[in-house]
Amino acid sequence: MSLHYQAAVLHRAGTPLAIERVEAAPLAPSDVLVRVRAAGLCHTDLEVIDGSLRYPMPIVLGHEAAGVVEAVGSAVVRPRKGDHVVLSWNPHCGHCFYCDRGLPILCEEYLTKGPQAVQFDGRCKARRADGGELRHLMFLGAFGEYCIVQDQQAVTVPNDIPFDRACLIGCGVMTGVGAALNVARIGRADSVMVVGCGAVGLSAVQGARLAGAARIIAVDLDDAKLDLARRMGATDRVNAGSEDAVAFAKRLTAGRGVDAVIEAAGSGAGFRMTVEAVRPGGEVVWLGKIDVAKEVAFRWGALMQEKRIRRSSYGEARPARDFPLLAQSYLDGRLMLDEMITARIGLGAINDGFSALRSGQAIRSVVTLG
Ligand SMILES: [Zn+2]
Ligand SMILES: [Zn+2]
């Protein structure tokens, strides 16, 4: 018996998503069918809609999601039917050059199949009502009532975290908190600067707080986002539109610069600010993206003195370890997620949600499904 469901489909960059009836492919032995209950609207989805990230189309976007396991393939041991799960967008083969070196984010299978927007075995997860091919973004394609994933992508979390909060863990929160805890390895009493206070930056602020940083300087151009950063743990705030963030960081640290800077703004000015504000020997983590063909200029002197610069896509996520930890941190009151949700919308209002994200009004709009 075939499963039909509604999904938001992008046919061409620059056009609105269309809500369509699609048909799920049969489950492969290691597949899991998830009934999607909530999916966040992330900047990476917007980049595909606006055309700066190019994928084959038509495609279902959405890569930050939570839901309930509806069915599992014959070889699946974990998760189980009925589990509440947060979805990871980084499946990995476990035995290639990079997997062997502990870098699942560079898995060769992941990097080959990802741009084609198909599963590892080359299949599409669903097709259009007229039988036409349908791709899925980042091994998910979660803007629909259902989503087929590999078993390793569906990570069981406690039942008592609400789906609209849980979904944020799948991309933005993992990336930001992971940048602080896994990548920058912030320690107790460190001074940290976070450049850009959207969902990822606010999560980095919280990661720095969880790590015990003594000073956390939040930098943004929007006072409302800076207020939110303050509530989430920033000790200092700088509106870079009216104040020099690098001078502020130096003043706070006897002229040295801060121990670590996490960037989540995605602008040349932001990248430059990070290397100027960090101290000699300090850690810089870049999370933001700009068009891959663009160049960014740096003052050479700012790159010297043993500074370490890392670009990270997913905060060195180990979903099976990190997702349940983050969910529990929320339940314990240590990780703030409620405040990140700007709007809850139905699938039919998804284009309005992307307009709000494009204009900078939204931290996170979340599509919620019955
Ligand atoms: Zn994302
Ligand atoms: Zn691999």
Side-chain angles (χ1 to χ4, degrees):
M1 203 185 71
S2 62
L3 171 70
H4 291 85
Y5 63 92
Q6 302 281 323
V9 179
L10 178 66
H11 288 267
R12 202 153 39 84
T15 64
L17 306 183
I19 309 301
E20 292 180 14
R21 199 169 126 92
V22 303
E23 184 182 358
L27 291 189
S30 64
D31 279 348
V32 172
L33 176 69
V34 176
R35 187 168 151 231
V36 179
R37 296 293 307 274
L41 276 57
C42 174
H43 268 275
T44 301
D45 301 308
L46 190 58
E47 287 163 20
V48 182
I49 295 173
D50 290 347
S52 65
L53 251 184
R54 285 164 279 275
Y55 277 91
M57 295 193 192
I59 189 168
V60 181
L61 308 178
H63 62 279
E64 184 180 84
V68 182
V69 175
E70 188 85 5
V72 299
S74 57
V76 174
V77 177
R78 209 178 48 178
R80 296 212 170 98
K81 186 174 182 321
D83 278 5
H84 291 201
V85 291
V86 172
L87 304 183
S88 152
W89 50 254
N90 180 214
H92 57 284
C93 76
H95 50 72
C96 71
F97 179 90
Y98 287 108
C99 280
D100 268 352
R101 282 156 183 77
L103 290 162
I105 196 72
L106 299 178
C107 168
E108 289 170 339
E109 201 70 25
Y110 169 79
L111 290 183
T112 306
K113 296 300 188 333
Q116 299 169 27
V118 295
Q119 307 251 58
F120 276 11
D121 61 10
R123 289 179 317 133
C124 292
K125 300 154 177 263
R127 57 185 182 184
R128 301 177 54 207
D130 63 5
E133 245 186 21
L134 189 58
R135 308 294 174 118
H136 286 75
L137 183 69
M138 294 161 76
F139 304 93
L140 290 178
F143 292 147
E145 293 168 312
Y146 289 92
C147 183
I148 293 174
V149 299
Q150 282 186 43
D151 49 2
Q152 56 168 306
Q153 291 179 263
V155 179
T156 303
V157 294
N159 279 3
D160 38 0
I161 177 168
F163 293 107
D164 55 0
R165 263 68 32 113
C167 75
L168 306 178
I169 290 171
C171 184
V173 169
M174 179 67 246
T175 303
V177 176
L181 296 181
N182 301 337
V183 188
R185 306 211 171 157
I186 290 165
R188 293 212 157 267
D190 276 2
S191 54
V192 180
M193 176 185 268
V194 176
V195 180
C197 294
V200 174
L202 290 172
S203 301
V205 165
Q206 298 202 65
R209 167 172 53 76
L210 292 169
R215 301 300 285 260
I216 304 170
I217 309 166
V219 181
D220 203 283
L221 296 167
D222 181 337
D223 282 327
K225 288 180 181 165
L226 289 169
D227 288 344
L228 207 45
R230 193 75 178 250
R231 286 174 61 196
M232 294 191 175
T235 56
D236 303 87
R237 44 176 288 173
V238 177
N239 187 320
S242 55
E243 205 176 343
D244 182 341
V246 174
F248 187 96
K250 295 261 165 97
R251 259 201 322 275
L252 202 71
T253 53
R256 280 188 298 273
V258 291
D259 297 307
V261 185
I262 298 173
E263 180 279 342
S267 72
F271 292 125
R272 270 192 295 279
M273 188 186 292
T274 61
V275 293
E276 296 284 353
V278 78
R279 68 163 166 77
E283 304 275 346
V284 173
V285 182
W286 291 337
L287 302 173
K289 299 197 281 299
I290 56 172
D291 189 304
V292 289
K294 275 201 182 139
E295 297 187 357
V296 180
F298 295 96
R299 190 177 63 83
W300 177 245
L303 301 174
M304 296 175 71
Q305 298 177 303
E306 314 300 314
K307 293 175 182 176
R308 278 188 288 247
I309 302 170
R310 272 280 304 275
R311 170 80 190 23
S312 176
S313 291
Y314 208 3
E316 276 182 17
R318 295 295 183 270
R321 174 195 69 187
D322 294 337
F323 288 3
L325 259 176
L326 290 167
Q328 195 57 49
S329 300
Y330 168 78
L331 293 171
D332 293 345
R334 293 184 302 130
L335 181 67
M336 296 166 72
L337 300 178
D338 304 359
E339 296 75 3
M340 284 200 203
I341 301 176
T342 324
R344 291 170 180 82
I345 58 177
L347 195 59
I350 195 165
N351 291 304
D352 298 333
F354 278 112
S355 298
L357 188 62
R358 196 181 284 116
S359 70
Q361 292 163 11
I363 303 287
R364 268 295 190 267
S365 299
V366 175
V367 170
T368 55
L369 298 126

